Amino acid sequence: GLLRLLIVVATHGINSSMAIATEADRFFSRVPNLTGEKDGEFKEFDLIFSAYLCKKDPGYELELNESRAGTSETLGVPTDRSRSLYFELILLTRGTAQGIVENCGQGEGFHAYRQLCRLLDPKNASRRLVILNKITTAKFVSVDPSVYLKKFTEWENLVEDYKKMGGTAAQDE
C-alpha cells in the first residue's frame, strides 16, 4: 500500500502517480512473490513483471532483454530505470531471490535482474545440472595419453563453464 505508493511517487513524480499507483496496485496484487525456491516460479514472475514494466515505460524492453543476455551497457550504471527496477524487485522478492537482489547493491536494478535471470531461470538451472552431471560422471580411463589429455581438457572446460553459469564448487569438509 503506502510503501508502493511512495516508490511510485519517487520514481514518476506526483502528477502521474495516482494513475500509475492504481496500475501498480493491480499488478502487485496479481504477481506472485519471487522466492527462488520453487520450480517454474521465475518464468511466471518474469513474464508478468516484464509486461508490467514495458507497459509502464516501453524503454524497459530493450534494457531487460539486454540484461537477460548479459549484454547491457547499463549493467552497473545507476540510471532512473535501474533504481526504480531495484526498488520494485525488493518489494516483489523474498528469501533467496531477495538476497540476490540485495547483494547487487542499492539502485543496481538491471544488474539484479540479470542475476535473477542467471540464477533462477529454469533453462539456466537445467543447463547447470546437465554440466554438473557431466563433471561428476567423467571417466578419464585411457591407455593413450593423448586421449586422456583430450578428455581431461574437455572436463576442465566443463568446470569453467559451470563456474561461469554461477555453479558452486563442492566444499571440502
Side-chain angles (χ1 to χ4, degrees):
L2 182 59
L3 180 59
R4 290 181 187 144
L5 180 59
L6 290 174
I7 289 173
V8 169
V9 169
T11 57
H12 299 288
I14 196 72
N15 294 336
S16 61
S17 294
M18 292 315 290
I20 293 172
T22 302
E23 183 66 29
D25 280 340
R26 273 186 271 171
F27 164 74
F28 285 115
S29 67
R30 275 194 348 244
V31 72
N33 283 330
L34 178 64
T35 62
E37 294 159 9
K38 296 181 218 156
D39 290 337
E41 176 186 40
F42 180 77
K43 188 174 183 177
E44 180 185 5
F45 174 85
D46 185 35
L47 182 68
I48 296 170
F49 189 57
S50 297
Y52 161 73
L53 289 174
C54 294
K55 182 178 179 185
K56 180 174 80 168
D57 180 351
Y60 273 106
E61 185 172 9
L62 177 62
E63 289 181 282
L64 288 174
N65 288 334
E66 289 177 344
S67 293
R68 283 185 196 102
T71 59
S72 176
E73 293 180 16
T74 60
L75 289 177
V77 177
T79 63
D80 288 341
R81 281 192 192 117
S82 186
R83 283 187 278 279
S84 176
L85 178 60
Y86 175 83
F87 288 112
E88 291 182 75
L89 287 171
I90 286 294
L91 284 173
L92 293 171
T93 56
R94 301 287 180 265
T96 301
Q98 192 168 58
I100 292 168
V101 174
E102 288 173 347
N103 284 335
C104 291
Q106 191 170 14
E108 298 288 338
F110 288 107
H111 179 61
Y113 198 75
R114 168 69 183 141
Q115 294 301 315
L116 288 171
C117 290
R118 191 172 67 85
L119 297 172
L120 301 180
D121 188 344
K123 292 182 292 190
N124 294 336
S126 297
R127 174 91 175 111
R128 279 196 310 271
L129 287 174
V130 167
I131 291 175
L132 182 60
N133 186 41
K134 288 181 180 180
I135 289 169
T136 58
T137 60
K139 299 201 182 345
F140 302 112
V141 179
S142 177
V143 176
D144 184 359
S146 64
V147 172
Y148 174 83
L149 184 58
K150 181 181 176 211
K151 286 183 178 184
F152 186 75
T153 302
E154 289 171 356
W155 180 82
E156 282 183 318
N157 291 336
L158 284 173
V159 170
E160 287 305 311
D161 288 347
Y162 182 73
K163 286 179 184 177
K164 287 177 188 173
M165 294 179 81
T168 56
Q171 301 295 319
D172 291 335
E173 302 264 337

